[in-house]
Amino acid sequence: MKLWVFVPLILFVFISWGNIRSVQTQTLDQLSSILKQFNTTQKLALLIDILSKQPVLFDKLEHLFLGAIPLISEMGHIKPQIYQHMLPWILDNLPYALKSKLVLNVTHDIVDEINHVNITGLDPSNGSVFMDGFIERLDLLHTGMRAVDKILEPIFISNGLNPKYFDFTIPKAIAFLEKFLKDYGVEVLGTMIKEINSVNTSEIANNDTRALEIKFWKQFSLLHLGGSVLQAVLTPVEEHLPQPQTGPLRDQCYSDVMTFLNNLFQGSKWAVEMFDAAGKPPTGTLTGNLHFIGSYDQCLGITPNFTGAGDLRTTATKYCRATFDIPDNLMASIKALIGDVNTFGVPITLTWGLCLPASCQEGDVSELFKLGFLKTLNLTPSVECSRSFGIEDKGTIIIIVILGAIVLVCLMATLFHVYRFSDDEEDEELTTFTLPLPKAYERKKDNPDIDETNFSTEKRNSHVTRNGHLTTMDNENDSMDSLVSDEKYKGFMEKLTKAFSLYQNIPDVMSFDQPKDSIQCVYGIRFFSLAWIVLGNSFLYAALSLTKAPVTGNLLEGVGLLKNFAFQAVYTAPFAIDSFFVIRSSVLGGFMVCLLLIASVVATAIKEKKYTGDILSMMSDGGDYWNNVFITPWCRVGAYCIGILLGFLFDNCDFKKKVKIHKDLSLLAWLAALGVFITLTYSPYTKNREGGYTWTPIQSEVYEAMSHVVWALALSWVIFACATEHGGIVNWFLSWRGFLPLSRLSYVVYLIHPVIMVAFVYNKKVLVYMNSFEMVYMFLGHLITSYVIGVLFAVGIELPFVRLLQVFKSRGCISKVGT
């Protein structure tokens, strides 16, 4: 049986549906049951009866059949193996398809569109004329798009789209496509045909289809076709993005941007370079990489100066970064895919690097997203544009002058020290003697400004060389008065010079000399505490941004590091600050220290109860924990008190004699200290790990209040054991002489390393990628760079001003100022 035999039957069902519905006494279910009772002969008789009574319908079916003969003929060429199964399958499933909800919904919308067509004025007596007019008034594009909307809905929902998000996502996209096709469909089609016809294949014979195909695709460019389509659709851009009559968008910026876009769609080289420098969607969006950065250097290196009617008013470019808040509904969809990840207050935003004419300012860029059809997207980004900080900036001038003056003073002092005082130092080392003085100058206490009375051989006689000339003294007293005055002046100038001399300060900073009776293990503890702080801050400054635009390209993946057990040692790096407090500069009454310690524990518990948080919550809580708990002195003084009590212990014990502690007791104390370190470091893993539990308020309060004190106690045992020769290999390692200069620089490095990290992160032209290897490499870079710059600050600022203070103090200048 051929397929075309059933075509009249199928068409009959659709066309005669009106006659079937005219049977008022029967329902559709009753009609179905009646038809099922008919045999084939009865059904054919019914069909013949209906067709005999509808000659017009019979003529239409005949006409349709004749027109469908070519199609039926082609269908007859299907392989018999396939054809014999295809036809029954179609006939079996066609009724179910016609009764499906999808077909009913599409049919409902099509019927609704048909019923809303205005047929006023159409002549119903002439069917052909009536239908021609009806088709002209029926919006086929809109009808088709409504059908597409209904077809896409079950497809998207079956693939995981939340049904409540469908109505404000897909229909809007379809509406945009409908408007685009309605406005520009003819232009797009014409441009595509023109581009296809422009391919020259005249040298290829028409019957050589393979060579013709190869030649066509070699010359045809989809990229060029896309550019031509955009040029045809969007040029001139001003028609699609009209400038508002009023508003903050400045005329110069608008004009330059429109010139840039028009030249872009026309393929101008400089405009394409600007577009190429702008950000494009990257990979890794599910790990938080929603930042289309682009190329900062490439953008600023473009010079769009060209001749023609479309000249820009400026010949420079500007890189701007627009940051968009992700809508809550879209954020909910993202979290449905990646899970509900805690970003500790760091907003998940989308950033777009733009390369724009230099005439545009930050406020102009925000207004550009409100032009034309862009306004319907409701985008209001926060924008930051590249700025040039020249010497006209007052703050820059002040810093340059201060640093320049310090460098100049240090260089001059170094040269003066080397060429003026180094020879005197050598002479004093070779031969020095004490010049006999009158009784008035015999005792130092009679003239406290004289530190020493050792002079070189040049001052052996009463005839003293001054300024290269031989001067004869009239009497001994005048000679000695002048001599002492000269030596006092020379000593003051020498100390003043050496205070800023790099020749003096660099050896002092890098010296391995240790103070007598010092606790040597402290040097290693101080260095490793600082390194631990730098390690923790390396991760912290890479994850937590100071602005709305994050600096890491895989924020969600980076936050996931917190779930690792080993990472807890980075998370608890703030304990290193307590280590610094333990090993610090005081002497207070033991009773008062104990009261202060108790008060610190109580205050910390109270503050933690009110401002619950941790080091990573500074973004999510608006800085409450950071400002009220983490950096407050009353929550930190507990570790300092432990250090003071340790100092009391050292003052009251004679460490020249070995303190005897039983080995078992010493081992027990070491195990307890180690247990404390491990417990405090890795306890947060219970809440940070995958599937961890949230700490109760009491747990958080106890941990915050007691952890600093317990840490300080454990560290105090390490120092005490090392100082009393119970440290073993630990003392041997921590007391290595190489830690001494590193320890000496720890305070200045502690102060400057955050500045270095911020400068590094915010001067990067690419985002930070957070993984263990890259972050450790960054940590080592931060640590080494901080120490290098720390040496410069120490020898150029810290040591000079400390020595300058001592010089003025020795001459009584400070006390005089104070009085």
Side-chain angles (χ1 to χ4, degrees), residues 519 521-523 525-526 529 533 574-587 593 597 636-650 677 680 706-721:
I519 303 176
C521 67
V522 170
Y523 305 140
I525 294 175
R526 185 178 287 121
S529 297
I533 293 174
F575 280 124
I577 301 176
D578 299 312
S579 301
F580 270 114
F581 286 135
V582 172
I583 58 181
R584 299 295 293 177
S585 0
S586 290
V587 178
V593 171
L597 175 61
R636 285 288 184 181
V637 75
Y640 188 75
C641 292
I642 298 298
I644 293 175
L645 294 176
L646 180 62
F648 284 160
L649 181 61
F650 284 135
F677 292 144
L680 294 180
M706 297 301 300
S707 59
H708 305 292
V709 175
V710 176
W711 180 276
L713 286 172
L715 184 63
S716 296
W717 161 253
V718 174
I719 298 174
F720 179 82

Side-chain angles (χ1 to χ4, degrees), residues 283-565:
T283 58
T285 54
L286 294 183
T287 61
N289 191 10
L290 300 173
H291 316 298
F292 315 156
I293 300 302
S295 177
Y296 176 89
D297 294 322
Q298 180 182 343
C299 176
L300 298 187
I302 298 172
T303 305
N305 52 345
F306 61 97
T307 58
D311 282 349
L312 290 176
R313 300 186 187 181
T314 178
T315 59
T317 52
K318 176 181 291 186
Y319 177 87
C320 296
R321 188 173 177 179
T323 304
F324 304 87
D325 292 326
I326 298 180
D328 293 338
N329 50 20
L330 180 57
M331 194 66 242
S333 300
I334 295 176
K335 289 186 175 181
L337 294 174
I338 64 176
D340 191 5
V341 180
N342 182 12
T343 60
F344 301 96
V346 178
I348 299 179
T349 57
L350 186 148
T351 58
W352 187 11
L354 303 172
C355 188
L356 298 172
S359 57
C360 294
Q361 299 178 359
E362 294 175 349
D364 298 323
V365 180
S366 299
E367 293 299 316
L368 290 174
F369 287 94
K370 300 178 182 179
L371 298 179
F373 66 90
L374 296 177
K375 188 175 182 179
T376 60
L377 302 178
N378 195 23
L379 300 175
T380 307
S382 60
V383 182
E384 295 181 358
C385 293
S386 57
R387 300 183 181 92
S388 58
F389 295 94
I391 59 174
E392 68 275 2
D393 182 71
K394 293 182 180 180
T396 304
I397 295 175
I398 294 174
I399 295 297
I400 291 176
V401 170
I402 294 176
L403 294 180
I406 292 175
V407 171
L408 182 62
V409 169
C410 290
L411 292 177
M412 292 180 62
T414 302
L415 294 175
F416 199 71
H417 181 192
V418 172
Y419 290 101
R420 176 65 182 88
F421 296 114
S422 60
D423 293 338
D424 292 345
E425 292 173 356
E426 293 177 359
D427 292 341
E428 291 176 1
E429 291 176 359
L430 292 175
T431 172
T432 60
F433 66 95
T434 302
L435 184 69
L437 294 176
K439 293 182 178 179
Y441 300 98
E442 194 173 28
R443 297 182 180 179
K444 184 178 177 180
K445 64 180 180 179
D446 295 332
N447 194 341
D449 290 333
I450 303 178
D451 294 332
E452 294 181 355
T453 56
N454 295 334
F455 302 100
S456 64
T457 55
E458 190 177 29
K459 304 160 189 170
R460 187 187 304 268
N461 301 319
S462 59
H463 299 282
V464 182
T465 301
R466 302 175 63 185
N467 298 325
H469 299 282
L470 187 62
T471 303
T472 304
M473 299 300 177
D474 292 337
N475 56 67
E476 186 181 15
N477 288 336
D478 290 340
S479 174
M480 295 309 303
D481 288 340
S482 178
L483 182 62
V484 171
S485 178
D486 287 345
E487 290 303 322
K488 289 171 58 180
Y489 178 76
K490 178 184 177 183
F492 172 74
M493 292 304 298
E494 183 175 356
K495 292 178 179 178
L496 194 62
T497 300
K498 291 182 178 180
F500 288 91
S501 173
L502 301 179
Y503 186 75
Q504 176 78 21
N505 291 336
I506 291 179
D508 288 349
V509 170
M510 305 306 297
S511 173
F512 293 98
D513 295 336
Q514 304 179 28
K516 188 178 180 180
D517 297 331
S518 63
I519 303 176
Q520 300 175 4
C521 67
V522 170
Y523 305 140
I525 294 175
R526 185 178 287 121
F527 167 73
F528 285 111
S529 297
L530 175 66
W532 196 9
I533 293 174
V534 175
L535 175 63
N537 285 343
S538 296
F539 281 87
L540 189 66
Y541 281 84
L544 302 183
S545 174
L546 300 179
T547 64
K548 291 186 66 176
V551 295
T552 179
N554 61 331
L555 177 62
L556 301 181
E557 185 177 3
V559 171
L561 292 174
L562 189 61
K563 300 177 181 179
N564 297 334
F565 179 79

Side-chain angles (χ1 to χ4, degrees), residues 97-116:
L98 294 175
K99 292 191 297 183
S100 67
K101 183 178 180 182
L102 175 62
V103 174
L104 293 177
N105 289 338
V106 172
T107 304
H108 177 271
D109 287 342
I110 293 177
V111 171
D112 185 63
E113 290 291 330
I114 292 175
N115 289 333
H116 281 82

Side-chain angles (χ1 to χ4, degrees), residues 678-699:
I678 295 176
T679 301
L680 294 180
T681 301
Y682 294 100
S683 290
Y685 180 68
T686 59
K687 63 175 180 178
N688 294 331
R689 64 182 175 87
E690 188 74 36
Y693 65 91
T694 303
W695 283 6
T696 64
I698 295 180
Q699 287 176 307

